[in-house]
Amino acid sequence: MAERPAGGHGEGLRWAAEPGFWREVFDHLGAGLAVVDSTGRIAAVNPAAEELLGRTAAAMLGRNFHDLLHRGAHGATPPGVQCPLLTALSQGTAAHAETDGFTRGDGRLVPVTWSGAPVIKDGRVVGMTVLFADITASQAARADRAAHVLALENRTGRLTLVAEITSVLTQPLHTEEALSRLGRLLVPRLADWAAVDLRIESGQVRRVAVTGPEGRDFDQEAWQGPLPPPAEHSRSPLVRVLHSGESAVLGRQEITAPPDSSLAAVQAGFLQAMGAVSAVVVPLGTARQITGALTLARTDPARPFDTTELALARDIGRHVGLAIDNARVFGRQREIAEAMQRNLLAPPPQPGPLRLSARYQPAPAGSQVGGDWYDAFLLRDGATALVIGDVVGHDLTAAAGMAQLHGTLRSLAWDRTGPPSAIIDRLDEAIPSITDVPMATAILARVEGPENGPWRLRWTNAGHPPPLLVTRDGRAEYLDQGRGLLLGTGLGSDGRPDATEPLPPGSTLLLYTDGLIEVPGTDLDTGLERLRRHAAALAHHPLEDFCDQILNRKPASNTDDIALLALRIPQPTSRR
């Protein structure tokens, strides 16, 4: 939140960035201020509270606020069930009392007025702030204290609003979905109507979100969509914001002024159709990097916007603009990472009668792309190599590391004819020299056997989820053998283990990454059992359909990307 500069100077704009500012507010507030936790125990008091109550902070911290301080008109502690502050704390609501009594350290009763507001973190009430003042002071002193309390409540409310907006904008959402949620935070707490306009890459402007009072959204879509270009000559507040970042507070006269450009006409039509009598228009981003504009409108003549609220709107606009810029950068990185993965993850070969199928599914929009990959290729000795892997991390660096490991492992497997464990050991030794990848998991497997079978699987597992073997008759079993350390630990190895398993006719081998089995809120065993059950039910399905159904049956709450590689062993009488 940015402060309106006083006397034409810009120092006030930086007050919120100073780490000691709120400590100063707390220490020098003219009214008593106590912070209690969710159980009602005192977590902090300011010097004014110590002075008013005749008690030191050390004597109050950790004590129950109600039991220690709260007294009725006759000096007796009222029952907790009758305490409006405890009731408000349990319900997560605000409370106040015009006249009440707190007891000083010397036993004297102090008549007070107090106001309590819940402290909310991540949607949960974690405590309450209690502001209180001595009501026996003079009328002027009471008015002054009330003004301090009101100012603090207003400032606290604004900080809370900015914090909630920041929380929404940092969630993994589509930009337009995030802006829609932003509108619901601004309306009706700060405005009756809100509109967000974004600059798009072609230089045009698009109104991407319009939010109004509940029950009055029937005409919002008519105001969304492309806007006329912001003409250089126009003095419209919206045009000035888009060109120079110049914020403005508009009264009825400015709202009804004749428009001087096409964009000004659209904006005037919008404000007048909404019945606006006061509005603010602020840039999204900074004056050097203007992403768009935020328009807030009020319809009540008794509540015009003032310069303090303009400063708040400007700070909100700055947060929104930075979040949008970050989302766009992330989106470009995501597109690069996805393109890199899709180009590297080529369709698998079809070696002889064996059938291979693979899938790569990026994380849902808004989540970060990871480093999942698969590979399948023929080796010099006629065996078929199968690879599945996952680089630790979820960003463009992870995707680049995946590409490096993908190429290196393929080269090592082609060059060496030893067991899979020896090749993985060699890859592990090379990781510090060829990539910045911190750690990764992988399975390298060989499918061995004559053209007409029988076939067997030989593999090693470097910290990856186990392969799943599904027989033709619907039995599904995880192959837990061959486990060793994941790649990149730097712990060395005395030789990774290899394992072998016959591959029965008609069976299906499934290699996959952890996005297929890890679901927020559940344990890994639950995900493994879900996959085993689904794969068993799909044992008779054609291989392509088997892979599609495995992906379709994953939980909707999955937030990770997924790679899978499936091998189908032919029946003796069928080469499907």
Side-chain angles (χ1 to χ4, degrees), residues 377-383 385 408-430 444 446:
F377 50 95
L378 295 177
L379 298 170
R380 286 191 298 173
D381 60 1
T408 303
L409 181 54
R410 180 177 269 242
S411 299
L412 289 172
W414 172 259
D415 184 61
R416 293 169 174 260
T417 57
S421 60
I423 297 170
I424 290 294
D425 279 340
R426 183 59 178 151
L427 177 65
D428 199 10
E429 294 172 5
L444 173 62
R446 290 170 51 93

Side-chain angles (χ1 to χ4, degrees), residues 67-229:
D67 295 342
L68 179 67
L69 302 176
H70 203 180
R71 300 292 182 269
H74 301 292
T77 304
V81 294
Q82 297 178 9
C83 177
L85 188 144
L86 293 182
T87 301
L89 180 60
S90 65
Q91 296 175 351
T93 59
H96 74 279
E98 294 296 333
T99 58
D100 210 339
F102 290 171
T103 182
R104 286 174 52 87
D106 57 11
R108 182 164 58 88
L109 188 66
V110 181
V112 296
T113 178
W114 61 265
S115 175
V119 178
I120 299 174
K121 182 178 181 182
D122 298 330
R124 183 171 60 89
V125 177
V126 296
M128 177 168 284
T129 59
V130 185
L131 286 157
F132 52 91
D134 184 354
I135 59 175
T136 60
S138 65
Q139 185 66 35
R142 289 202 304 272
D144 184 60
R145 289 187 180 117
H148 275 289
V149 171
L150 180 61
L152 183 61
E153 288 178 341
N154 289 339
R155 187 162 289 174
T156 301
R158 292 167 186 165
L159 281 174
T160 301
L161 177 59
V162 172
E164 291 180 13
I165 288 171
T166 302
S167 176
V168 166
L169 295 174
T170 54
Q171 293 176 13
L173 303 171
H174 279 299
T175 298
E176 294 192 13
E177 181 183 355
L179 292 176
S180 176
R181 294 194 185 184
L182 166 69
R184 284 298 160 208
L185 288 174
L186 297 174
V187 175
R189 292 165 68 176
L190 188 59
D192 298 315
W193 288 91
V196 178
D197 306 324
L198 292 185
R199 287 182 175 274
I200 53 182
E201 292 184 358
S202 62
Q204 300 299 306
V205 180
R206 182 179 182 86
R207 181 151 289 179
V208 297
V210 175
T211 307
E214 292 290 347
R216 288 192 58 195
D217 55 1
F218 60 92
D219 56 354
Q220 293 177 19
E221 291 188 4
W223 295 102
Q224 295 179 199
L227 297 178

Side-chain angles (χ1 to χ4, degrees), residues 239-258:
V239 175
R240 297 203 307 270
V241 163
L242 292 171
H243 279 313
S244 64
E246 181 183 344
S247 303
V249 177
L250 312 181
R252 193 189 300 269
Q253 182 176 355
E254 290 85 1
I255 291 172
T256 58

Side-chain angles (χ1 to χ4, degrees), residues 472-504:
R472 179 71 177 174
D473 59 5
R475 289 181 294 111
E477 175 186 6
Y478 285 106
L479 305 181
D480 287 314
Q481 310 93 312
R483 284 188 170 276
L485 289 174
L486 49 74
L487 301 168
T489 63
L491 299 177
S493 174
D494 294 332
R496 296 176 184 274
D498 286 289
T500 60
E501 181 77 17
L503 299 173

Side-chain angles (χ1 to χ4, degrees), residues 292-312:
L294 170 65
T295 300
L296 303 176
R298 287 178 178 170
T299 58
D300 184 357
R303 293 180 60 239
F305 285 103
D306 58 27
T307 55
T308 301
E309 290 165 320
L310 174 63
L312 173 62

Side-chain angles (χ1 to χ4, degrees), residues 4-40:
R4 180 73 171 179
H9 298 288
E11 290 82 356
L13 291 173
R14 297 189 295 274
W15 63 266
E18 297 176 0
F21 178 84
W22 288 110
R23 183 76 248 180
E24 290 292 320
V25 172
F26 186 80
D27 288 344
H28 295 95
L29 186 67
L33 174 60
V35 181
V36 301
D37 65 16
S38 59
T39 67

